[in-house]
Amino acid sequence: MGAIVIDLEKCNGCTMCSRACPYQAIEMADKKARWIEDRCTLCGACLESCKFDALFGEMPVPEVPDFSDRRGVWVFVEQHDGEFHRSAFELLGCARGLADELGQEVVAAVLGNDLKEKASRLIHHGADRCILVDDPSLAYYQTCTHTHALSELVKQHRPNILLIAATHLGRDMAPRLARRLGLGLTADCTRLTIDPDERILLQTRPAFGGNIMATIVSRFSRPQTATVRPGIMTPLPADSSRTGEVSVAQVDMAACREFTRVLECVLPEEKGVDLASAKIIVAGGRPVCSDRGVSVLREFADAVGGEMACTRVVVEEGFLPATRQVGQTGQSVRPAVYFACGISGAVQHKAGMDGSRYVVAINKDPDAPIFEIADFAIVGDLFEILPALTRAMRER
Amino acid sequence: MNIVVLVKQVPNTTDVKIDPKTGNLIREGVASIINPEDRHGLEAGLQIREKLGGTVTVISMGPPQAMETVCECLAMGADRGILLSDRAFAGADTWATSTALGMAVRKLGEFDLILAGRQAIDGDTAQIGPQVAEFLRIAQLTYVRRLDAQEGKVIAERALEDGCEHIEAPTPVLVTVLGALNKPRHPTVEGILAATSERSPVEVWNAADIGVKVQDVGLAGSLTHVVRTFTPKGARDTRRLEGSATVIAAELLEALRQKEIRLGE
């Protein structure tokens, strides 16, 4: 910690420093300045004010520590009921590229119970090594147990980079972990690269609903930690010839105090919608908010073999379940073709689908923003266009 | 129950632009509001106070104009408002922000429940809630869409990507809420008059008041730094399809076939 030192020989009690202090941290006593440590924020305003060289500051200087010994690109592997979440494979694909650039290894960190047999899949998808913490208390996600186990692993192994999926789970755990370990954390990254000069992680993320992109660095802490939007990074194809070490790390889970108790977990009735891996998506906006609208959408989706999706308003109006929502608060998708039907193209929606290879936009409003990111623009009524498309598909 | 609500003042839009010369956000002409999900956090706090008694204290960090937000919270019914405002707080990332908010909560003393919106519409990070909870070493419940507070504990419904979970946590606990939780009330006229009067229970705290050094907060205390901001470009060549629905349908299917998109398989 720093300090302000007052040379009482030189201080002539002019009060300039006391008046310059924004925090009332210097008072006058016996016609001399007196430093009040509790109030001082070490801002340095007093130092500049003294004309008699009576004040000296011992200020903490921020230095970028030497992190050259930190190695390894780590992926936190999210799992539910013992099944690895698809985001883990996306992160491994991304981590592989970063690690090759740095000449370092990819490590998959798995927290769970009895998952050792499955770990080879992570190796096949790009990990060089897999480290597990195997404990019954980690079978179901809880903030306190997972944060504890992962932070202990990070302390033991001192990685250079740590990637966590920006799922509900990841966005619950990552900030807690970062605060505990003193890590900078960048949320919801959509692009990760290595700076060619500094060799640090460039973390690019959308802000203001995707209107602005920011590239962020963590120079002062390791591992450089980022959460990554699911559905953006590309997994590597499985290569079963890849081999790697799978080890079990010892973490004292008894040291973790349980705060919370899960009473029950309620899964939705409709399961198995996997928009993120759908090749064709037929998405509807406000105009499909009717029984007829949904059926027109469904008939076309069935005809092209696509999954139905929608904007937030369709979920809010109760016409499709939340699992089919695409956008900032829904899912990110990257199909080969995305049919945007009656979707105006708010930035929040675009954020979830602008990685699509081709976008077909159908909208009555010729000025709808969706047309700005469309490959094929159709200005018209989806209640005419979609049935025509469905007929044309069936006639083929 | 002693309740603390964390609120943030944000631009009333996500439609912001970057000044191409300075690289800074253009905020002129954009009205400010209470971050929408934070209003739901405040509403939850007010409802719990109505049921169990206690106090609701609002804490916000921001420039002096963020006092508008604190006053609006008082006008909705909060008992006390604190604005953390100091040039030393400017430019903070979530690490430095959670340090300041955590120190402010600590200065308040005893509390049972901290409420906040899940995330703010300007940054969308959702990091402040968990980071403040960790700073204070208390439990956290995020993505909460139903909340039942009782003496000594809360029971919450957390939204998951598919489904939800019901969790019980002892107090003190920090809860971040979704808009689905409740419908926020409007400020009352009497509330607005009281909140903006001379005897309004609002305070402004600076770095010294919460006991931090300038090196620990704001840009200086941040662990992450923005090296570049830019406007994403939409790089697609748009082809307009015109004519009757039948003609458009045939053209589109042919164009997609040429791009080797396989439909209906």
Side-chain angles (χ1 to χ4, degrees):
Chain A
M1 290 307 287
I4 302 293
V5 181
I6 298 166
D7 185 339
L8 295 177
E9 304 263 304
K10 288 185 178 167
C11 177
N12 68 355
C14 75
T15 76
M16 289 296 281
C17 56
S18 177
R19 279 186 276 161
C21 177
Y23 301 106
Q24 297 87 48
I26 297 180
E27 62 181 5
M28 302 308 294
D30 299 332
K31 296 194 174 161
K32 299 282 182 188
R34 188 162 74 189
W35 181 51
I36 306 168
E37 187 175 357
D38 287 353
R39 294 276 320 166
C40 180
T41 69
L42 297 175
C43 73
C46 54
L47 303 179
E48 289 160 28
S49 72
C50 185
K51 303 278 186 283
F52 305 97
D53 294 332
L55 266 70
F56 303 94
E58 293 164 9
M59 307 300 227
V61 182
E63 276 180 50
V64 178
D66 176 18
F67 290 122
S68 54
D69 64 327
R70 299 303 184 106
R71 305 193 67 78
V73 181
W74 277 41
V75 167
F76 165 72
V77 176
E78 183 172 332
Q79 56 91 9
H80 296 274
D81 293 331
E83 296 298 323
F84 299 139
H85 192 256
R86 59 181 167 76
S87 64
F89 301 101
E90 297 169 8
L91 293 189
L92 285 172
C94 171
R96 186 72 264 161
L98 299 173
D100 289 344
E101 177 95 24
L102 289 166
Q104 299 183 1
E105 60 176 4
V106 173
V107 177
V110 184
L111 312 180
N113 192 28
D114 236 0
L115 292 173
K116 199 170 179 195
E117 298 304 313
K118 293 180 177 168
S120 58
R121 274 192 74 203
L122 302 169
I123 307 280
H124 296 164
H125 279 90
D128 295 304
R129 274 198 304 138
C130 182
I131 300 177
L132 294 104
V133 181
D134 193 1
D135 194 279
S137 67
L138 295 168
Y140 189 85
Y141 173 75
Q142 288 214 72
T143 312
C144 48
T145 48
H146 270 61
T147 308
H148 173 72
L150 188 57
S151 63
E152 291 302 306
L153 272 192
V154 167
K155 280 195 269 184
Q156 286 171 17
H157 295 270
R158 299 159 62 82
N160 181 20
I161 290 171
L162 171 61
L163 306 181
I164 298 169
T167 54
H168 285 210
L169 188 163
R171 296 173 105 228
D172 185 75
M173 178 186 71
R176 185 108 200 175
L177 177 92
R179 182 76 225 187
R180 183 165 304 176
L181 296 175
L183 309 176
L185 175 65
T186 306
D188 297 350
C189 294
T190 53
R191 186 156 187 259
L192 295 167
T193 54
I194 301 295
D195 182 86
D197 302 318
E198 262 188 278
R199 313 296 287 161
I200 57 174
L201 185 66
L202 299 176
Q203 309 155 38
T204 300
R205 70 179 303 266
F208 288 97
N211 264 306
I212 284 174
M213 304 295 289
T215 301
I216 293 167
V217 297
S218 299
R219 289 199 179 93
F220 294 89
S221 58
R222 291 291 182 280
Q224 301 167 81
T225 307
T227 64
V228 183
R229 272 203 82 124
I232 303 278
M233 304 297 175
T234 314
L236 297 170
D239 175 359
S240 55
S241 69
R242 283 180 58 87
T243 56
E245 182 198 357
V246 177
S247 59
V248 176
Q250 295 307 315
V251 170
D252 179 13
M253 293 305 295
C256 168
R257 204 179 116 217
E258 283 283 352
F259 285 118
T260 54
R261 192 158 65 95
V262 178
L263 303 173
E264 77 180 310
C265 177
V266 185
L267 292 173
E269 285 166 16
E270 188 194 31
K271 270 220 89 172
V273 189
D274 188 6
L275 290 183
S277 51
K279 294 279 172 257
I280 299 164
I281 289 180
V282 177
R286 185 178 290 279
V288 306
C289 286
S290 66
D291 291 339
R292 180 171 159 246
V294 172
S295 77
V296 164
L297 199 69
R298 179 175 285 124
E299 279 169 23
F300 178 57
D302 287 346
V304 294
E307 283 286 357
M308 271 201 299
C310 62
T311 60
R312 189 163 87 176
V313 66
V314 183
V315 172
E316 284 173 350
E317 296 287 325
F319 286 95
L320 283 173
T323 47
R324 293 193 183 271
Q325 183 188 327
V326 168
Q328 184 98 10
T329 49
Q331 297 208 51
S332 288
V333 298
R334 44 186 308 157
V337 57
Y338 187 93
F339 292 93
C341 311
I343 290 175
S344 64
V347 284
Q348 288 83 351
H349 185 75
K350 286 197 280 190
M353 48 65 75
D354 61 5
S356 305
R357 198 158 130 226
Y358 294 108
V359 174
V360 179
I362 305 166
N363 203 302
K364 272 186 185 170
D365 174 8
D367 297 322
I370 192 74
F371 289 128
E372 293 163 16
I373 59 158
D375 299 281
F376 298 98
I378 301 168
V379 179
D381 186 350
L382 70 91
F383 289 98
E384 292 169 18
I385 306 291
L386 285 187
L389 277 165
T390 305
R391 271 197 308 277
M393 277 302 298
R394 287 182 182 152
E395 283 164 11
R396 288 213 306 192
Chain B
M1 195 169 252
N2 289 323
I3 301 161
V4 177
V5 185
L6 306 179
V7 299
K8 183 180 187 184
Q9 188 178 52
V10 295
N12 184 20
T13 173
T14 54
D15 189 17
V16 291
K17 302 266 183 319
I18 297 179
D19 183 328
K21 282 183 193 147
T22 63
N24 292 329
L25 295 178
I26 300 171
R27 296 209 186 216
E28 278 97 64
V30 180
S32 295
I33 53 165
I34 302 177
N35 179 51
E37 286 180 343
D38 297 349
R39 282 166 60 89
H40 295 273
L42 175 58
E43 176 62 34
L46 296 172
Q47 287 181 13
I48 292 165
R49 184 190 64 188
E50 282 156 10
K51 180 178 145 195
L52 300 176
T55 59
V56 174
T57 303
V58 167
I59 303 180
S60 187
M61 183 171 107
Q65 72 159 42
M67 184 54 90
E68 299 163 2
T69 285
V70 175
C71 287
E72 191 177 337
C73 292
L74 291 179
M76 281 172 69
D79 300 288
R80 183 182 177 195
I82 290 153
L83 176 64
L84 307 182
S85 197
D86 189 320
R87 286 172 67 172
F89 296 149
D93 71 351
T94 64
W95 168 269
T97 302
S98 60
T99 300
L101 291 171
M103 291 297 283
V105 173
R106 226 181 243 169
K107 177 174 165 150
L108 282 177
E110 297 239 325
F111 63 89
D112 303 293
L113 175 62
I114 302 176
L115 291 157
R118 179 245 335 229
Q119 65 189 27
I121 58 170
D122 52 357
D124 302 315
T125 73
Q127 287 174 188
I128 289 301
Q131 289 185 324
V132 170
E134 174 66 19
F135 184 93
L136 297 166
R137 281 283 178 163
I138 61 171
Q140 71 189 45
L141 298 170
T142 56
Y143 290 91
V144 168
R145 63 185 188 196
R146 282 169 74 179
L147 183 63
D148 176 27
Q150 302 164 13
E151 281 306 333
K153 69 173 180 185
V154 299
I155 297 169
E157 180 173 304
R158 285 189 72 220
L160 305 175
E161 273 95 351
D162 49 351
C164 63
E165 61 182 9
H166 297 146
I167 297 197
E168 183 183 293
T171 56
V173 59
L174 184 146
V175 175
T176 74
V177 309
L178 300 176
L181 181 68
N182 54 37
K183 196 168 178 295
R185 67 196 66 189
H186 293 291
T188 61
V189 174
E190 304 83 64
I192 293 167
L193 291 174
T196 52
S197 76
E198 270 183 28
R199 280 174 298 173
S200 174
V202 292
E203 292 164 63
V204 178
W205 289 355
N206 64 23
D209 294 325
I210 58 170
V212 294
K213 306 299 176 202
V214 296
Q215 290 81 4
D216 299 327
V217 291
L219 187 63
S222 294
L223 294 175
T224 59
H225 295 95
V226 177
V227 291
R228 190 165 93 95
T229 54
F230 56 99
T231 310
K233 56 175 182 354
R236 289 180 195 264
D237 289 329
T238 307
R239 178 175 156 197
R240 288 192 172 267
L241 300 176
E242 285 160 357
S244 72
T246 316
V247 170
I248 288 173
E251 264 189 50
L252 177 64
L253 295 185
E254 177 57 22
L256 290 174
R257 196 189 61 79
Q258 283 178 13
K259 301 216 181 271
E260 298 185 353
I261 300 291
R262 297 174 182 185
L263 298 174
E265 290 182 9

